[in-house]
């Protein structure tokens, strides 16, 4: 029966990974927290449930990113589901229309951000619906110790109650055992019985760490890989935009084909560059870690890291974008001891003080016109005296954004002020505490990069709570 639906609606002949056990457990009426690697088909689990629910029921999907919602909705529609989303990107009239349709049971699946539950018009309609499944996509956003903490995710259980306590399906790609436990606590799930771990094995990945001394040696080494592999696709990740810029100038002289992606580029340029990369028009992209969420390109053969990432989580997420088609892919981390101090500095800036965050918000609110035109340059000029290296402003903007204090719009800056940060956000998300925790993780990846005894991928699997006995046989340690 499930297999028939799979073939009919999704055109797939078999389930992947733990899709089937997840759906089976949901069908028994239980909740599930499932870990499945990025790109392996988490969406299918709730899409399938939308086909299986009763006529008057609806699947509600909580998704953290407005930018991904359109795409998720489109994908659901493509397989024949009546799907829609409600967020700040749509007009007031359109929102009214969708709310009305919702109350008339016209949709089978709805995507919203958790912040939507702050709006009474939305909650009023939600309360009248029969929600068959409450989905939490990117569930690690509920964890304070994950990277993408969103205060409203911490209130998810309240929203589940509001929805009439339906089954919950929480989904994420990367969560260490402590984070898994925290998610279970927040959503009132049972860590012992509700957890379904999908394997995170990525046998196609060949991991390597190359020791480098100094920037010019590093630039030459990276340029060599790019130049020797112009006919296949690759990403080069940079911790700092200014290193990315410097490297861009460095290889511009070498007549190589590449595009770039970073938070300083206007959003339409970012979108265009991303598209050129995804469609294969340009094979290489130089990017900051901001690039990649929701990027589903199967044939990426290389992921290079210009600096050591600050956690094993982000490293694995980034290298995991390669080799989605199951064919061999190579990840090379260029390790320069001096970069460790960059990461330490980075952590100082990544967790700005409350006062700083409030000031940035006020600037965005009070000087909307100027901020829209001049973007981050203006904020930096006001806040950190034009020091381009000091990215506390960027950190503050991204914190404000995930707190729901900003709204994404189409301008050079990309945001406008929505509501000032609440006092309790600063208590719940104590930046100096987070920084300490993050420093421990940095130590963890440092150890990993310096390790010369144990298979690299094995260490990573173990870090995520997966017991693996076999060596990969293809990382630089194994070889
Ligand atoms: P993620 O886990 O990152 O959310 P998605 O749900 O976006 O991944 O799915 C990634 C890709 O995997 C999609 O192109 C989807 O069609 C494909 N996919 C999902 N399930 C299967 C399956 N059982 N067989 C083959 N392809 C699948
Ligand atoms: Mg997904």
């Amino acid at each position: 029966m499930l297999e028939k639906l799979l073939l009919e609606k999704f055109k797939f002949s078999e389930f992947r990974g733990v899709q089937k056990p997840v759906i089976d457990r949901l069908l028994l009426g239980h909740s599930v927290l499932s870990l499945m690697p990025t790109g392996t088909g988490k969406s299918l689990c709730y899409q399938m449930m939308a086909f299986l629910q009763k006529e008057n029921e609806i699947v509600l999907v909580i998704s953290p990113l407005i930018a991904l919602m359109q795409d998720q909705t489109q994908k659901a529609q493509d397989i024949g589901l009546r799907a829609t989303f409600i967020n700040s990107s749509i007009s007031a009239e359109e929102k009214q229309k969708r709310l009305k349709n919702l109350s008339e049971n016209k949709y089978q699946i709805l995507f919203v951000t958790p912040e939507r539950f702050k709006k009474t018009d939305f909650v009023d309609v939600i309360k009248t619906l029969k929600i068959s499944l409450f989905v939490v996509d990117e569930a690690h956003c509920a964890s304070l110790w994950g990277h993408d903490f969103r205060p409203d995710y911490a209130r998810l259980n309240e929203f589940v109650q509001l929805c009439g306590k339906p089954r919950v399906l929480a989904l994420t790609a990367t969560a260490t055992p402590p984070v898994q436990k925290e998610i279970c606590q927040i959503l009132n799930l049972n860590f012992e019985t509700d957890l379904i771990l999908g394997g995170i094995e990525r046998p196609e990945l060949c991991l390597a760490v190359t020791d480098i001394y100094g920037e010019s040696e590093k630039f030459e080494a990276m340029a060599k890989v790019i130049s020797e592999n112009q006919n296949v696709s690759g990403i080069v990740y940079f911790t700092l935009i200014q290193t990315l810029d410097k490297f861009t100038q460095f290889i511009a002289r070498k007549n190589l084909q590449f595009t770039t992606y970073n938070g300083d580029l206007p959003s339409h340029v970012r979108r265009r560059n991303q598209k050129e990369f995804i469609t294969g028009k340009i094979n290489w992209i130089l990017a900051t870690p901001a690039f990649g969420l929701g990027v589903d390109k199967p044939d990426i053969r290389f992921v290079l890291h210009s600096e050591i990432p600050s956690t094993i989580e982000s490293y694995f997420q980034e290298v995991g974008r390669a080799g989605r088609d199951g064919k061999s892919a190579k990840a090379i981390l260029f390790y320069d001891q001096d970069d460790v101090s960059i990461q330490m500095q980075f952590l100082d800036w990544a967790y700005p003080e409350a006062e700083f965050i409030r000031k940035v918000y006020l600037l965005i609110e009070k000087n909307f016109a100027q901020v829209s035109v001049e973007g981050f340059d203006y904020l930096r000029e006001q806040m950190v005296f034009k020091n381009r290296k000091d990215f506390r402003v960027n950190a503050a903007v991204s914190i404000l954004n995930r707190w729901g204090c900003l709204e994404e719009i189409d301008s050079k800056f990309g945001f406008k002020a929505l509501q000032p940060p609440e006092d309790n956000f600063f208590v719940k998300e104590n930046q100096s505490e987070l920084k300490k925790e993050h420093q421990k993780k940095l130590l963890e990846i440092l150890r990993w990069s310096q390790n010369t005894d144990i298979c690299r991928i094995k260490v990573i699997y173990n870090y995520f709570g997966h017991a693996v006995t076999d060596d990969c046989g293809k990382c630089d340690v194994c070889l």
Side-chain angles (χ1 to χ4, degrees):
M1 153 73 177
L2 284 182
E3 276 76 9
K4 193 167 156 254
L5 207 56
L6 185 68
L7 195 59
E8 234 169 61
K9 303 288 183 187
F10 298 87
K11 314 277 182 273
F12 297 139
S13 51
E14 44 189 277
F15 286 102
R16 245 198 215 163
V18 290
Q19 284 172 338
K20 180 91 177 10
V22 167
I23 294 165
D24 282 343
R25 186 169 168 81
L26 290 171
L27 288 174
L28 288 173
H30 301 298
S31 292
V32 173
L33 163 61
S34 186
L35 266 78
M36 295 165 66
T38 311
T40 54
K42 288 186 278 294
S43 331
L44 184 135
C45 300
Y46 59 75
Q47 289 163 345
M48 184 69 101
M49 293 303 287
F51 282 119
L52 294 168
Q53 70 195 346
K54 294 195 195 101
E55 192 54 45
N56 61 342
E57 291 181 326
I58 183 166
V59 169
L60 178 66
V61 184
I62 311 293
S63 175
L65 278 177
I66 289 177
L68 294 186
M69 249 174 228
Q70 174 97 51
D71 189 50
Q72 288 176 309
T73 302
Q74 185 61 48
K75 283 189 172 149
Q77 286 172 350
D78 289 346
I79 53 168
L81 284 169
R82 298 190 307 276
T84 195
F85 64 89
I86 298 182
N87 64 34
S88 54
S89 77
I90 60 175
S91 67
E93 299 82 59
E94 184 61 28
K95 189 188 75 185
Q96 283 314 323
K97 199 177 106 195
R98 294 185 189 184
L99 283 175
K100 183 159 178 288
N101 284 343
L102 257 182
S103 63
E104 291 167 1
N105 290 321
K106 292 212 173 122
Y107 302 115
Q108 293 165 295
I109 186 161
L110 169 69
F111 296 88
V112 294
T113 56
E115 290 77 26
R116 198 45 38 192
F117 280 87
K118 287 193 181 128
K119 318 273 182 194
T120 47
D121 57 349
F122 174 73
V123 172
D124 287 345
V125 174
I126 279 294
K127 280 182 183 159
T128 67
L129 301 179
K130 262 192 88 70
I131 291 163
S132 68
L133 183 66
F134 187 101
V135 182
V136 182
D137 204 9
E138 314 292 348
H140 57 275
C141 292
S143 163
L144 204 47
W145 311 122
H147 276 303
D148 311 310
F149 176 64
R150 294 271 290 253
D152 286 293
Y153 262 71
R155 296 177 51 204
L156 282 173
N157 195 38
E158 254 174 71
F159 307 153
V160 174
Q161 307 294 321
L162 269 177
C163 291
K165 297 196 221 169
R167 288 164 291 192
V168 173
L169 170 61
L171 296 165
T172 176
T174 37
T176 57
V179 172
Q180 295 161 19
K181 273 193 190 134
E182 200 186 347
I183 297 170
C184 284
Q185 252 161 25
I186 289 165
L187 285 165
N188 205 10
L189 304 182
N190 186 325
F191 181 69
E192 311 298 328
T193 55
D194 293 340
L195 183 66
I196 298 183
L197 291 181
I200 54 168
E201 286 79 359
R202 296 292 311 274
E204 60 284 335
L205 294 181
C206 316
L207 308 185
V209 178
T210 300
D211 282 320
I212 287 287
Y213 303 91
E215 192 170 80
S216 61
E217 187 181 320
K218 180 192 287 177
F219 280 11
E220 287 293 349
M222 295 199 302
K224 186 159 181 281
V225 178
I226 298 173
S227 117
E228 286 172 355
N229 297 282
Q230 280 279 284
N231 57 336
V232 296
S233 191
I235 309 175
V236 188
Y237 278 112
F238 294 85
T239 305
L240 300 174
I241 293 178
Q242 108 255 11
T243 322
L244 193 162
D245 287 344
K246 215 164 157 191
F247 184 68
T248 304
Q249 284 160 19
F250 177 79
I251 60 168
R253 283 179 251 128
K254 296 189 183 268
N255 201 17
L256 298 174
Q257 228 204 12
F258 65 90
T259 185
T260 59
Y261 187 102
N262 69 66
D264 272 2
L265 294 173
S267 54
H268 71 275
V269 177
R270 278 202 306 261
R271 269 201 300 273
R272 185 197 63 207
N273 293 359
Q274 169 162 333
K275 196 167 166 209
E276 286 182 335
F277 175 72
I278 289 176
T279 55
K281 197 169 161 225
I282 294 180
N283 275 338
W284 283 82
I285 192 161
L286 316 181
T288 53
F291 176 76
L293 242 173
V295 168
D296 189 15
K297 181 173 167 63
D299 58 350
I300 297 172
R301 299 270 76 84
F302 284 91
V303 171
L304 310 185
H305 279 95
S306 166
E307 293 87 22
I308 187 164
S310 67
T311 65
I312 289 182
E313 284 92 326
S314 46
Y315 173 76
F316 195 58
Q317 191 137 52
E318 284 155 13
V319 301
R321 301 204 168 106
R324 293 270 175 84
D325 54 8
K327 295 182 193 146
S328 177
K330 196 160 170 83
I332 309 171
L333 162 60
F334 294 90
Y335 177 83
D336 184 338
Q337 214 176 328
D338 291 346
D339 293 340
V340 179
S341 55
I342 293 183
Q343 282 297 3
M344 299 290 283
Q345 174 69 263
F346 192 93
L347 292 192
D348 279 338
W349 286 333
Y351 298 96
E353 286 165 7
E355 221 24 61
F356 191 93
I357 299 173
R358 285 187 208 278
K359 245 175 123 175
V360 168
Y361 179 82
L362 285 177
L363 270 176
I364 297 169
E365 188 186 63
K366 299 252 146 63
N367 303 342
F368 175 65
Q370 201 155 7
V371 173
S372 297
V373 178
E374 295 174 35
F376 281 99
D377 288 340
Y378 173 74
L379 293 176
R380 253 195 303 264
E381 194 178 291
Q382 300 295 311
M383 298 296 300
V384 295
F385 311 107
K386 289 191 180 171
N387 178 1
R388 279 208 72 203
K389 282 191 192 167
D390 182 337
F391 66 95
R392 270 178 301 168
V393 165
N394 304 62
V397 168
S398 105
I399 290 168
L400 287 165
N401 185 33
R402 70 171 187 256
W403 285 357
C405 303
L406 303 179
E407 190 176 316
E408 292 183 24
I409 56 165
D410 226 345
S411 72
K412 178 171 185 218
F413 179 54
F415 302 101
K416 71 175 205 193
L418 195 62
Q419 59 199 29
E422 293 167 20
D423 289 343
N424 69 327
F425 291 178
F426 294 100
V427 182
K428 267 196 231 156
E429 197 183 320
N430 181 324
Q431 298 297 315
S432 70
E433 235 174 88
L434 286 177
K435 184 163 80 183
K436 250 185 253 156
E437 210 56 34
H438 201 151
Q439 282 162 342
K440 282 189 211 152
K441 292 187 180 214
L442 177 58
L443 197 65
E444 204 72 63
I445 189 167
L446 268 177
R447 273 207 207 104
W448 171 86
S449 69
Q450 293 309 291
N451 134 64
T452 50
D453 305 321
I454 315 172
C455 164
R456 287 206 188 279
I457 204 121
K458 201 163 160 180
V459 178
I460 295 178
Y461 291 161
N462 290 336
Y463 180 78
F464 287 114
H466 293 257
V468 191
T469 44
D470 290 340
D471 290 347
C472 74
K474 46 165 76 168
C475 69
D476 55 346
V477 174
C478 284
L479 297 174

